[in-house]
Structures are given as C-alpha cells and as structure tokens.
Amino acid sequence: MDIDIAPAGVAAFHQVLADHPRYWGERDLRSLHLQALVQEFGPTCLVARAEDGIRGYVFGFVTPDGTGYVHLIATREDARGIGLGGRLYRAFAEAAERHGAQRLKAITSVGNSGSIAFHRSLGFEAEVVDDYDGPGRAMAVFHRDLPLDIP
C-alpha cells in the first residue's frame, strides 16, 4: 500500500485526535496535541496517509537556534513494524533542514523504553535530565546532528 507523507493541515489534526486511541492505546495524550503547532508550523507537522486513512504523524517545529524539535510522533497500531516511524522522522528532518535546522531534539518519559530504543536506533544520543518537565519530573532528552542519514 502506498503511503504519502505531506503537511498535516487542520482537518488531519482533528482526524488524528478523533482516532487518538489507535495511535496511543490507553495513554491519553490529547492534551499534548496542539492545533497551534499545525497552524503555525505547517511545513514540519506531517501526516502519513494511505488509502485507509492516516497511518502516522509527526508534529514538530524549528527553533530560532536551528533545532528541529519533534513534539509528537506516532504510528497507528496496525502500521507498526514497517519502518513508518523512520520515514516520518526522515521527512521531518528534511523539512526542518529546509527551515534552517542543523540538529534534532526530542524528549520522552524515562520509562518509555520503546521510544528510547526507537530514537537510539535513529542515532540519537539520550540523556536523563532531572526536573526537565518540572520538579521531580525527569525526562529522557534526545539529540543528534543533521542530516538524518538512515536507510
């Protein structure tokens, strides 16, 4: 099945929210989905579409210091294990580079072993930063330089 990766747009953003459990399971992360990101940073908020709908997405932006920050990346439960997460990251990295990014950054909870393994497989270095998300809220912080040369 062909998958097209393109800017999300507001309609796709709302579709992602409507299908939230298909991407995140039991975890309710809807509060992290900010429509303003899609409206203000459209070229770096991407969805992967197939005939059967949105299979995955990445929402991010480029900071003034040239960092492509990935705020959220997810694939639908029936689209995992086919390399879609890597394709989304490559597409985001290319879009971020077009907007001046020289490096990538992302964060996740320290207990999210799947995300940590995924980011490491893409060549990210990870460090645990105490109080990153407030007092007592350590986060795993990922960094890597661009370009993102992965197969």
Side-chain angles (χ1 to χ4, degrees):
M1 179 176 296
D2 288 334
I3 296 175
D4 180 49
I5 297 176
V10 173
F13 172 83
H14 288 290
Q15 186 61 52
V16 163
L17 279 182
D19 291 341
H20 183 272
R22 296 190 72 190
Y23 303 100
W24 299 99
E26 300 281 322
R27 296 184 299 165
D28 186 353
L29 300 180
R30 288 176 291 181
S31 66
L32 297 178
H33 291 68
L34 308 173
Q35 183 172 318
L37 287 178
V38 173
Q39 291 178 332
E40 299 299 327
F41 304 104
T44 54
C45 292
L46 309 171
V47 293
R49 278 194 178 84
E51 288 179 11
D52 62 349
I54 297 171
R55 293 221 166 173
Y57 61 94
V58 57
F59 296 159
F61 54 90
V62 177
T63 68
D65 75 347
T67 300
Y69 176 76
V70 173
H71 180 65
L72 290 167
I73 184 166
T75 56
R76 229 171 48 193
E77 80 277 354
D78 63 340
R80 296 192 183 127
I82 62 169
L84 183 56
R87 285 187 60 196
L88 281 164
Y89 243 109
R90 278 192 305 279
F92 173 81
E94 291 167 4
E97 281 185 290
R98 286 192 299 273
H99 287 85
Q102 296 126 20
R103 69 197 70 79
L104 296 176
K105 180 179 183 180
I107 65 170
T108 195
S109 61
V110 294
N112 191 338
S113 59
S115 178
I116 292 169
F118 170 67
H119 283 86
R120 285 189 171 147
S121 77
L122 298 177
F124 281 85
E125 293 182 22
E127 67 175 309
V128 173
V129 178
D130 292 332
D131 302 326
Y132 187 91
D133 200 25
R137 297 221 29 197
M139 298 295 281
V141 180
F142 307 105
H143 296 275
R144 71 155 291 148
D145 290 334
L146 287 169
L148 183 62
D149 296 323
I150 57 171

